[in-house]
Amino acid sequence: MPVNVFGPSRAIKSHRVKQRLMPKTLLTEMAIKFCCFSQEPVDDVDSWGESIEKLLSCKAGQAAFQDFLKSEYSEENILFWLACEEYKKVTNEPEMISMANQIYTEFVQTEAPRQVNIDSGTRTNITNSISEPTRSSFDTAQKMIFSLMTRDCYPRFLKSDIYQSILQKHGKR
């Protein structure tokens, strides 16, 4: 099931977060139980520490990492990366145009609700080509965000209480 990355903006979400009854770690645990499906055993938790690629290849890994990034106020990074991954799967042109505009509006344009941290040249290139998007329209920006997550967020995730508690409950280490 695809992740809805185009949900409410931060202002609306901050109000809803206050209403949340379950702690983040419980939500992550539920994701592990119900999102890994039968073909992705929870044993994969150990592999999450090997690389960010292995972490992101598992739906539960994505959910745990998103949970962590949310706690660090940088959830837009994983949401943008996931949106780009879904965008690359789109085959028909009208859907590609629509999704490109959604990604642009949500993450790329200046003052976007979940604006990602990309350089101005990349932002300008996307802005100039958004009227005629291609499958690779967001590749440079996605690589920048992936690099940021790999270099900055992923090492902190591995040390986080979120990952350590999951590893303790489901890992072999």
Side-chain angles (χ1 to χ4, degrees):
M1 178 189 305
V3 176
N4 179 7
V5 296
F6 303 110
S9 69
R10 283 188 183 140
I12 295 170
K13 284 186 99 178
S14 65
H15 175 70
R16 289 189 181 152
V17 168
K18 291 175 187 174
Q19 294 176 347
R20 186 185 306 178
L21 299 176
M22 290 184 267
K24 289 177 186 160
T25 52
L26 180 57
L27 290 175
T28 302
E29 286 299 315
M30 288 173 63
I32 287 171
K33 280 185 181 175
F34 302 112
C35 289
C36 266
F37 311 119
S38 58
Q39 72 261 45
E40 290 189 47
V42 177
D43 295 342
D44 286 352
V45 169
D46 283 319
S47 71
W48 298 356
E50 295 172 18
S51 71
I52 193 168
E53 290 85 355
K54 289 190 178 185
L55 171 69
L56 296 177
S57 70
C58 175
K59 294 287 184 191
Q62 291 172 11
F65 193 51
Q66 182 177 345
D67 204 13
F68 169 73
L69 291 176
K70 190 181 295 184
S71 75
E72 297 227 325
Y73 303 100
S74 58
E75 180 185 25
E76 68 277 359
N77 294 321
I78 186 69
L79 294 176
F80 173 72
W81 186 86
L82 290 168
C84 290
E85 289 297 295
E86 289 299 314
Y87 176 75
K88 290 176 189 176
K89 297 175 188 174
V90 174
T91 55
N92 72 52
E93 192 172 341
E95 191 177 340
M96 184 182 289
I97 292 168
S98 174
M99 191 166 186
N101 281 298
Q102 285 180 315
I103 292 171
Y104 177 77
T105 303
E106 187 70 21
F107 301 105
V108 177
Q109 75 181 5
T110 305
E111 303 298 322
R114 295 180 178 162
Q115 184 177 338
V116 290
N117 186 12
I118 56 176
D119 65 65
S120 62
T122 302
R123 191 176 315 280
T124 300
N125 288 342
I126 294 170
T127 301
N128 292 339
S129 65
I130 196 64
S131 61
E132 295 180 22
T134 64
R135 186 165 279 116
S136 61
S137 290
F138 299 102
D139 284 359
T140 302
Q142 186 185 23
K143 287 175 188 166
M144 292 174 117
I145 295 304
F146 184 80
S147 177
L148 173 71
M149 291 190 305
T150 301
R151 177 179 77 250
D152 186 42
C153 307
Y154 177 67
R156 286 198 319 273
F157 169 75
L158 295 178
K159 296 174 187 172
S160 72
D161 290 342
I162 291 172
Y163 178 61
Q164 292 302 314
S165 69
I166 295 168
L167 193 59
Q168 191 174 28
K169 288 180 184 177
H170 301 286
K172 295 175 187 163
R173 292 185 187 167

